[in-house]
Amino acid sequence: MAQTQISIDADMLARLDATSLANSVSREEALREAIDNYCEYDRWFRAKVEEGRKAYEEGRYVSNEEATRIAQERCAELRRMMSGGK
């Protein structure tokens, strides 16, 4: 396995140690998980951006006004649900 050296300031190292301790893992395991999560999120995000770009090119989008109207309707519905109404 290749080894890479990185510089971490004292505050970040303390946060890493606290996280490692709270999760009962080593620093190395915590770093590997963080890097894996970062890479997975970046892959997911880029795929979503590409999906949105393609949808736009295909004309599958709504105007800002329509998006605002839909969001307001959904918020109103959530408020009704939370207040016990139907």
Side-chain angles (χ1 to χ4, degrees):
M1 184 177 299
Q3 289 191 356
T4 301
Q5 194 171 6
I6 62 171
S7 297
I8 298 177
D9 64 39
D11 180 57
M12 185 175 289
L13 186 59
R15 290 170 32 215
L16 174 60
D17 286 342
T19 299
S20 299
L21 182 61
N23 290 288
S24 301
V25 297
S26 67
R27 280 181 183 167
E28 184 176 334
E29 289 171 303
L31 284 171
R32 284 183 188 184
E33 184 177 346
I35 292 167
D36 186 54
N37 288 341
Y38 173 78
C39 292
E40 183 60 24
Y41 173 78
D42 185 67
R43 183 202 59 76
W44 172 86
F45 180 79
R46 290 174 187 278
K48 289 296 182 180
V49 168
E50 182 62 19
E51 185 180 307
R53 189 189 64 75
K54 285 181 180 179
Y56 179 79
E57 286 177 353
E58 295 168 2
R60 295 183 292 123
Y61 59 89
V62 297
S63 68
N64 184 57
E65 292 78 14
E66 180 68 6
T68 299
R69 185 190 62 73
I70 291 168
Q72 288 172 340
E73 286 177 2
R74 290 181 181 172
C75 286
E77 178 62 26
L78 285 172
R79 283 191 294 273
R80 281 191 296 276
M81 289 171 57
M82 293 180 73
S83 67
K86 291 285 177 175

